[in-house]
Amino acid sequence: MCQEWQQRFEAFLDDMGVCPVGHTLDRYPNNEGNYEKSNCRWATRKQQNRNTRRNHWITHDGITLTISEWAERTGLSQAVIYSRISRYHWSAEKTLATPLLIR
């Protein structure tokens, strides 16, 4: 934690403001970094869950998102995306561009 925040709660409050309802403090963009103004935000539970080391990140067309974010964008399930990448070793492009076969 930065020295200013350790020494004065008011410094933290000046930098971050009051916590919005339903939010918690999140280290972002670097969840390995320090708790300081340039690396913290108030985040929802969904944002917190997506900012963890255990997430699998996929880059496609210059956009890097988690599997769950790609699932929301494509309509594919997280399980399908994960299987295509890790089990079948498909490329990101093939994984995200190939629709499900409906039988």
Side-chain angles (χ1 to χ4, degrees):
M1 183 182 303
C2 69
Q3 254 186 332
E4 295 85 13
W5 290 4
Q6 287 180 0
Q7 294 171 352
R8 291 181 43 255
F9 175 73
E10 292 79 13
F12 168 81
L13 203 52
D14 288 344
D15 286 345
M16 297 303 301
V18 176
C19 178
V21 174
H23 289 66
T24 57
L25 192 63
D26 183 28
R27 288 181 294 171
Y28 181 85
N30 179 5
N31 66 357
E32 299 280 336
N34 292 330
Y35 283 94
E36 57 193 6
K37 183 179 180 176
S38 64
N39 194 48
C40 286
R41 67 177 176 181
W42 293 117
T44 63
R45 173 60 51 205
K46 188 176 190 177
Q47 289 171 311
Q48 286 269 14
N49 287 339
R50 290 183 173 170
N51 185 31
T52 67
R53 279 173 255 151
R54 69 181 180 269
N55 280 324
H56 188 112
W57 296 86
I58 300 171
T59 300
H60 175 62
D61 282 342
I63 301 169
T64 302
L65 300 171
T66 63
I67 287 178
S68 59
E69 290 169 316
W70 280 117
E72 286 177 357
R73 282 192 178 205
T74 63
L76 297 170
S77 73
Q78 293 179 44
V80 164
I81 294 171
Y82 184 80
S83 291
R84 288 176 174 182
I85 293 284
S86 63
R87 185 174 180 193
Y88 300 113
H89 307 288
W90 286 14
S91 68
E93 182 176 349
K94 183 177 179 183
T95 295
L96 300 172
T98 304
L100 288 176
L101 292 175
I102 309 277
R103 295 179 188 199

